[in-house]
Amino acid sequence: MDGNYDYLETVEDEIAQFHRAEAGLIVGSGFEANLAIFAAIPRPGDAIVYDELVHASTHDGMQHSQAVTRVPFRHNDVDSFRDAMISVCDSQPLIRQGKRCVIVAVESFYSMDGDICPLRELIEAAKEIFPGGNAQFLIDEAHSTGVIGPKGAGLVCELGLEREVAIRLHTFGKALSASGGIYNTAEILAEFLDINTAIAIILGNKTLKSALINLARPVIYTTAPAFSVVAAARAGYNLMKTGQTKAAQENVQRLVKHFFKTITSNAIWEEATQRGILSVPLSEDWDEQPFPTHIVPIWTRQRYSYWLVFHLHFSEFCAFPVEYPTVSKGQSRVRVASHANNTEPQVDGVVSAICEWAREMMEIEKGGGDGNKIPKAARQIYAIMGDENIDIFRTKITHSLHN
């Protein structure tokens, strides 16, 4: 059984060097990577402490892990993390004695909330509780790769914590194939070759790589990614290495900041937020943050999410509601994701559409306008829904509005 080849190893070494890691192992996807990590690394007697909002693949990986002690902590809450680590220390004598380990699972950018892991603070807390060094971090950098850090190397490199994080996961199906300067080469190459570049790399030391190769069933019982897929990923990394994506990376930052500035200065912002029709949690103190993520969730009343999406569609913006089970029940939202090839006029347009919809909803709630309790865009969508299946879908939506 041999799924390896020289070119793959060369690219693994190049990418590991780019991220200032000792070794790397390329696997078929980010989902597969998390399954592999949790299948191979936690051993009997180890524990896993994880942010409650980690990706579904992390949860699936933990289910197949040999670590039976799994403790969540409140999202990005350092105090809750500290409590979780202390509870593990108190309840697991082998871990307290340094004979077993704690694996801490977090993400750099959380894709549904758009916020950033307080990684440095978590590491400091872990060191206080486990000074022997048997608390080790696993960070999923899927959404920070190509977006933040020196030449797009991610959050760990941005913070200079390469020596403090045992395992890093970088995927190639986000920025590396769909945004900015990377799109111009990697994505075109992928399209020409009719391939998908959604592979990923697990970074760590050589011992980690050896353990994954020999113990992880998702690695052992599969084939290596095709040459064409690896070549497409390498093309993206070559662009980052040579600084050709720097302008794209900076533009993403500029666009997100422009979004915050524009929406919070809109005439209806204050009233819409006070009435609960609009909420953008990341807009709070946005100008004091060192850098934003490219993902900005827009919250409204739960029964209004689809209506906002419909309005954005008629304003010629691609929009989808984020619903359960992707997020918890009662936590639906609409996300704004800035791409490097977007422009400030486009940001102005989406802000205008959101605020126009919020103004209409305020008029409806006040009993003004034409007296209709359903906004115009939603009425148009409902009118288009002609066949029986779509009528059932519409009934479910309208039914939820009254619950």
Side-chain angles (χ1 to χ4, degrees), residues 308-329:
L308 174 55
V309 167
F310 295 158
H311 187 91
L312 289 170
H313 283 174
F314 274 96
S315 300
E316 300 185 348
F317 291 102
C318 179
F320 300 94
V322 181
E323 296 281 352
Y324 174 83
T326 302
V327 293
S328 301
K329 290 182 178 180

Side-chain angles (χ1 to χ4, degrees), residues 4-295:
N4 204 30
Y5 52 95
D6 290 343
Y7 183 82
L8 178 63
E9 290 189 349
T10 296
V11 176
E12 287 174 340
D13 291 342
E14 289 177 356
I15 295 174
Q17 184 178 11
F18 176 79
H19 290 287
R20 298 198 284 270
E22 183 178 331
L25 179 68
I26 290 177
V27 296
S29 69
F31 204 108
E32 185 177 302
N34 270 324
L35 295 182
I37 290 167
F38 286 101
I41 304 308
R43 312 315 295 163
D46 289 345
I48 302 170
V49 173
Y50 62 96
D51 189 292
E52 63 182 352
L53 296 187
V54 290
H55 193 263
S57 59
T58 299
H59 286 280
D60 284 8
M62 288 190 290
Q63 290 300 316
H64 294 89
S65 166
Q66 296 186 63
V68 297
T69 301
R70 305 161 194 158
V71 183
F73 63 93
R74 287 191 302 275
H75 176 55
N76 276 356
D77 189 321
V78 179
D79 290 335
S80 178
F81 171 73
R82 189 184 297 274
D83 291 341
M85 296 290 275
I86 291 173
S87 73
V88 169
C89 185
D90 291 343
S91 64
Q92 305 295 318
L94 290 180
I95 294 177
R96 184 169 61 252
Q97 295 166 20
K99 297 178 180 180
R100 294 293 185 273
C101 295
V102 181
I103 308 298
V104 180
V106 294
E107 299 180 17
S108 53
F109 293 177
Y110 288 86
S111 61
M112 294 300 117
D113 289 68
D115 50 3
I116 302 169
C117 174
L119 185 59
R120 191 183 302 279
E121 292 82 354
L122 296 180
I123 290 173
E124 290 173 354
K127 285 183 174 181
E128 291 175 11
I129 299 164
F130 293 101
N134 59 323
Q136 296 294 325
F137 279 74
L138 156 63
I139 185 165
D140 186 333
E141 295 233 44
H143 293 275
S144 57
T145 307
V147 177
I148 203 68
K151 297 184 178 179
L155 180 66
V156 171
C157 290
E158 170 69 19
L159 299 177
L161 296 173
E162 296 91 340
R163 293 181 179 272
E164 306 290 343
V165 178
I167 310 171
R168 285 178 272 166
L169 166 59
H170 290 267
T171 63
F172 309 152
K174 309 293 184 188
L176 263 72
S177 67
S179 68
I182 296 173
Y183 174 91
N184 293 331
T185 294
E187 183 72 358
I188 290 173
L189 177 59
E191 183 177 350
F192 175 74
L193 296 171
D194 191 24
I195 59 174
N196 183 351
T197 60
I199 57 175
I201 191 167
I202 303 167
L203 300 175
N205 60 26
K206 292 179 180 179
T207 302
L208 171 73
K209 182 173 182 177
S210 179
L212 291 167
I213 291 171
N214 289 282
L215 299 174
R217 291 168 66 89
V219 175
I220 297 170
Y221 299 107
T222 190
T223 56
F227 166 81
S228 52
V229 180
V230 179
R234 190 187 200 188
Y237 267 95
N238 284 339
L239 288 174
M240 290 198 291
K241 287 179 186 177
T242 55
Q244 294 181 65
T245 61
K246 181 180 179 182
Q249 190 176 327
E250 291 174 347
N251 192 45
V252 169
Q253 294 287 303
R254 182 165 50 250
L255 291 172
V256 177
K257 293 175 182 178
H258 183 68
F259 176 87
F260 288 141
K261 180 179 180 180
T262 305
I263 197 167
T264 56
S265 62
N266 190 279
I268 61 94
W269 172 254
E270 185 173 348
E271 182 179 359
T273 54
Q274 288 176 350
R275 296 179 66 91
I277 290 175
L278 272 186
S279 176
V280 184
L282 295 179
S283 66
E284 185 176 350
D285 300 325
W286 65 267
D287 54 343
E288 298 177 9
Q289 304 304 316
F291 51 84
T293 73
H294 55 294
I295 301 165

